[in-house]
Amino acid sequence: MLESLDVRQLRYFAVVAEELNLRRAAERLFMAQPPLSRHMKRLEEFLGVALFVRHSRGLTLTTEGERVLEIVRPVLELETATRERLHALRVAGARAPVIGLTTAFEQGVFAALESRLFAAHGPGLRLERATSPRLVREVRRGRVDAAFVALPLDTPGLHVVPLSYAEPLLAVLPEGWPEAAQGRHRLRDLSGKPLFWFRREGHPAFFDHTKRVFAHAGFAPMLKEEPTEHDVLLARIAAGEGMGLFPASFSAIRRTGVVFAALAEGNLLGIRLGLIARTDFEALAESLVRLAKDALTCSINLSAT
Amino acid sequence: MLESLDVRQLRYFAVVAEELNLRRAAERLFMAQPPLSRHMKRLEEFLGVALFVRHSRGLTLTTEGERVLEIVRPVLELETATRERLHALRVAGARAPVIGLTTAFEQGVFAALESRLFAAHGPGLRLERATSPRLVREVRRGRVDAAFVALPLDTPGLHVVPLSYAEPLLAVLPEGWPEAAQGRHRLRDLSGKPLFWFRREGHPAFFDHTKRVFAHAGFAPMLKEEPTEHDVLLARIAAGEGMGLFPASFSAIRRTGVVFAALAEGNLLGIRLGLIARTDFEALAESLVRLAKDALTCSINLSAT
DNA sequence: GTTCCGTCATACCGAAAAGGTATCGCAAAA
DNA sequence: TTTTGCGATACCTTTTCGGTATGACGGAAC
């Protein structure tokens, strides 16, 4: 099926033509390789000419491809310039920033930070709450100017500042389990138990991190799909369906039927707060880091609770 | 929620800024008013400035709006030019045309036409079968170069050639109904019967046309949602659930349990074949018209069968 | 002053497109 | 021959976009 010729695709083409390698181009465009492959194919279909010759190690431009590149380049340049001019106009409008807050921590953690944010930027400030990988995407697209996220996280192309605030993960066990009597566990002692855990898509970098920690600790849980809502998850744990791993701050939630227990691997299995921002928002980022350091002094040590 | 700033939206903005009236602008852009309203709102959100002042009769540009228009205009012009250059390149590539065929007629009608099309344009020719309103859209977007469609149809902005081939609609009745014994009916005699009929979205212009004819003929059917597949529809008619109205060519399909019957209103209630093409494809359109006249000599008279 | 009409905004829905993961086939490199 | 890196394909999920229906509002007409 042919299509409508979007400027975005022309931009993709320009990058591919520069890299002559789809995977690398996709990386530069912050996307996966297959969609880019498809875009190039469709562009070729639309134009009715082959733009590339594919060989098993990369691509080369055909003469038509070079011609198209020449035709296309000026628009892309002008479009970039225009985008910048509009962006400048936007900044000139003294727009209040949009700041993201990860939902990875219990939201009470941000209480002090939030009031300071509003004090510093006025009531026009917008807060966006979402998962960390999603905030990364929003910051890249410019929908959000800066965001507090949970590390570890994949953030190529963004300005990242790890902050000193961090939390270990705690085991959350059904009250009925014999293990719930103890206050502290090694992961391996919980091996084989059903564990509510998220799907890799939701947070690939952190997922891979935990997988390594699990493997190293000799922990082989029986994974169960984690519900998206915290309260639902806690309810199902209380029902005895399995255990969960929560950032320590969630222990502020006291729910009947569940027990929070520290883990010996707390120093490895934890999340750390970080600030991300587009590289052109360093000024904002710096001021936010200062604010955060002021507001979040009460770091929970990673190795104990 | 903010967003990513697409060139398309800038183009929409330019049109709105020119018309200073959302409904008219939407018409020029071949879209409905609400989506356009939303686009403008989002653009304003993204830029962080008000582009328009809304009053109850139309819009006026703010000074920021004028400024944005100035910034934006050059890109749009260059983009249009680039689009044309790429289009030219596409034409230079001697691409085989893509031709649409409406599914409103029984496909056997097009048998002779199809072989002539392939003879004229070679095996590279692509045929796209879809409903007529959908083909209109595809032609507008440039995915299809020209299309044979069923009239009446809304086709502003496109080159339209009504052809001499036309078909009345026939009533298709369950064999068990007493009316099935007669070979010809007035619509009003079938009033109150359940009729399988399509939803307005699928074909607004034709729907409105038939509504007028129905009203004029004193025909008030009990409408039932029509299944999308012809064979399914025939099966349900055969099951006695209701009747249908089919273009005459479908009577070539002999299905047990259903009876085709002519209608007195055949001269009003029918569809006519037409050719549509983008205005820059007139040459192709003319050659297609000649082909079609040659292939489709056997027109079925609208007033009898 | 009340009614009517045109305009833009909102709510909701379905279709289309874009991006992601998993996986394959292939050719060059080891 | 095996391995490795590449692009292509298949399939799924999420997002976006456009459409219809409908509401709120202000000027125009009576």
Side-chain angles (χ1 to χ4, degrees), chain B residues 40-60:
Chain B
M40 293 304 102
K41 190 182 161 195
R42 286 188 186 167
L43 187 57
E44 286 181 315
E45 272 178 17
F46 177 76
L47 295 175
V49 293
L51 299 172
F52 305 103
V53 183
R54 277 90 165 160
H55 9 14
S56 69
R57 292 280 143 128
L59 313 167
T60 49

Side-chain angles (χ1 to χ4, degrees), chain B residues 18-79:
Chain B
E18 201 172 312
E19 291 286 343
L20 292 176
N21 173 314
L22 278 182
R23 195 185 47 73
R24 275 204 309 275
E27 223 165 76
R28 262 182 59 184
L29 291 165
F30 300 118
M31 71 194 303
Q33 170 260 321
L36 189 57
S37 177
R38 207 172 37 202
H39 274 299
M40 293 304 102
K41 190 182 161 195
R42 286 188 186 167
L43 187 57
E44 286 181 315
E45 272 178 17
F46 177 76
L47 295 175
V49 293
L51 299 172
F52 305 103
V53 183
R54 277 90 165 160
H55 9 14
S56 69
R57 292 280 143 128
L59 313 167
T60 49
L61 271 181
T62 62
T63 53
E64 289 89 356
E66 284 171 16
R67 174 127 184 68
V68 169
L69 189 59
E70 278 169 30
I71 294 178
V72 147
R73 199 112 62 176
V75 206
L76 297 181
E77 280 164 19
L78 182 56
E79 199 231 1

Side-chain angles (χ1 to χ4, degrees), chain B residues 121-139:
Chain B
H121 294 104
L125 173 73
R126 277 237 324 278
L127 296 180
E128 289 277 333
R129 287 166 215 273
T131 65
S132 299
R134 197 185 187 99
L135 287 173
V136 168
R137 200 174 160 184
E138 304 282 284
V139 169

Side-chain angles (χ1 to χ4, degrees), chain A residues 21-23 33-34 37 41 54 57 134 141 143:
Chain A
N21 174 313
L22 277 181
R23 197 184 46 75
Q33 170 260 319
S37 177
K41 190 181 161 195
R54 277 89 165 158
R57 292 281 142 128
R134 197 182 186 101
R141 301 179 110 188
R143 295 185 182 187

Side-chain angles (χ1 to χ4, degrees), chain B residues 43-188:
Chain B
L43 187 57
E44 286 181 315
E45 272 178 17
F46 177 76
L47 295 175
V49 293
L51 299 172
F52 305 103
V53 183
R54 277 90 165 160
H55 9 14
S56 69
R57 292 280 143 128
L59 313 167
T60 49
L61 271 181
T62 62
T63 53
E64 289 89 356
E66 284 171 16
R67 174 127 184 68
V68 169
L69 189 59
E70 278 169 30
I71 294 178
V72 147
R73 199 112 62 176
V75 206
L76 297 181
E77 280 164 19
L78 182 56
E79 199 231 1
T80 306
T82 303
R83 212 174 267 272
E84 272 163 22
R85 292 184 68 184
L86 289 178
H87 187 72
L89 183 142
R90 177 183 177 186
V91 173
R95 195 178 52 83
V98 181
I99 294 173
L101 291 178
T102 179
T103 51
F105 297 93
E106 203 279 323
Q107 294 296 301
V109 168
F110 296 126
L113 178 58
E114 283 177 38
S115 59
R116 280 175 176 76
L117 284 174
F118 278 106
H121 294 104
L125 173 73
R126 277 237 324 278
L127 296 180
E128 289 277 333
R129 287 166 215 273
T131 65
S132 299
R134 197 185 187 99
L135 287 173
V136 168
R137 200 174 160 184
E138 304 282 284
V139 169
R140 283 219 184 93
R141 300 179 108 185
R143 296 186 181 185
V144 170
D145 302 318
F148 291 93
V149 295
L151 307 179
L153 186 64
D154 243 21
T155 53
L158 291 183
H159 181 66
V160 189
V161 185
L163 300 172
S164 62
Y165 183 83
E167 292 185 9
L169 296 191
L170 303 184
V172 182
L173 307 167
E175 212 167 37
W177 285 12
E179 291 85 354
Q182 301 166 246
R184 186 183 180 84
H185 292 274
R186 283 178 307 167
L187 275 176
R188 63 178 310 156

Side-chain angles (χ1 to χ4, degrees), chain B residues 210-246:
Chain B
T210 57
K211 212 173 69 175
R212 281 193 297 273
V213 175
F214 288 175
H216 185 260
F219 175 49
M222 194 187 97
L223 291 184
K224 303 186 69 167
E225 175 113 0
E226 184 175 275
T228 42
E229 305 295 331
H230 294 122
D231 47 350
V232 178
L233 175 51
L234 284 174
R236 296 187 58 183
I237 293 171
E241 294 180 32
M243 63 178 174
L245 295 177
F246 274 70

